Amino acid sequence: MEEWKDIIVADSLGIVKTDIEEQYLSHLLCLGGTCRFFFNGQEFELREGDLCIIRRRSLVEKIRPSADFRCKIIYAKPGFIELSTPQSNYAMKGQLSLFNNPVIHLIPEQQILCRRNFDILEQRVNNTEHLFYRETLINAMQTAILDFFDFHARIYGNTDISMQNASIMSRFLTMLEEGTYREHREVSYYADRLCVTAKYLSEVTKKVSGYAANYWINRYTILDISRQLRDKSLTFVQISDMFGFSSPAYFSRYVQQNLGVKPSDYRE
């Protein structure tokens, strides 16, 4: 493509690569066949009628579509999604849940509604002559997001999260998604940046996500380390230095504690 836009509609995998520098969130509706893939270290399978929402496409690996796999995909930049997301704290709960399981199994009525939203978005993307082009895109994306919330809430429930807690959790995860954990893995560092105590930050993350702050720091760290370990062009010393470990021995102990194996065994 000549230029990367805020939103892209595709009918097949690979239009936007998972390792491209441009960041895109992907929303995929499976129209037929199956597709197996690894996300966040776990294997998932898409079947006809499933909706898959991926916030961090760099965590997607080993994509194996069946020969008859068909799909429709909406790629959108994070900034555009943020602009289009309604003022609802449910976004935080959905984000955390999708980090653990990006697949939503839709019932037939939801499949029809989701496909309609995708078609409308595609029509809006193509209607570049509209005098209020960007506004129509935002409106169509917002409608789709509200339906995504509804699909998800009907499965997992609509637990209320306060605006303050949602804000703290959002800013905390933003720092982690920016890779801050490579240099800082102390809860106190993030708490200072958020102007709260370490105890309060852990209480908020526990209430919002079910896990304390240290869990999320280690989770992001070990996922990144596991990706680096699969790159055999990097030595263990290079990876250890990349994450600011004081010594390769300390790095090895950290990997063994969180992955259950030594770095050398994981690479094999």
Side-chain angles (χ1 to χ4, degrees), residues 238-256:
Q238 287 175 317
I239 299 173
S240 175
D241 291 342
M242 186 186 302
F243 288 84
F245 286 95
S246 58
S247 69
Y250 179 32
F251 167 70
S252 181
R253 288 196 299 272
Y254 183 88
V255 171
Q256 190 164 2

Side-chain angles (χ1 to χ4, degrees), residues 61-80:
E61 300 176 297
K62 301 177 182 178
I63 303 173
R64 304 188 306 281
S66 63
D68 59 344
F69 178 69
R70 295 183 298 109
C71 66
K72 179 74 72 173
I73 312 174
I74 302 293
Y75 294 104
K77 287 187 176 179
F80 182 77

Side-chain angles (χ1 to χ4, degrees), residues 222 225-226 229 245 248-266:
I222 205 63
I225 288 176
S226 63
L229 286 173
F245 286 95
Y250 179 32
F251 167 70
S252 181
R253 288 196 299 272
Y254 183 88
V255 171
Q256 190 164 2
Q257 180 181 356
N258 287 276
L259 287 179
V261 294
K262 296 179 181 178
S264 57
D265 294 336
Y266 181 85

Side-chain angles (χ1 to χ4, degrees), residues 191-206:
D192 288 343
R193 293 281 301 275
L194 294 169
C195 300
V196 298
T197 66
K199 180 181 179 181
Y200 185 74
L201 176 58
S202 286
E203 288 176 349
V204 169
T205 58
K206 180 74 172 180

Side-chain angles (χ1 to χ4, degrees), residues 87-99:
Q87 293 298 313
S88 169
N89 293 338
Y90 191 81
M92 177 51 60
K93 180 177 181 180
Q95 175 183 342
L96 294 170
S97 179
L98 291 170
F99 185 82

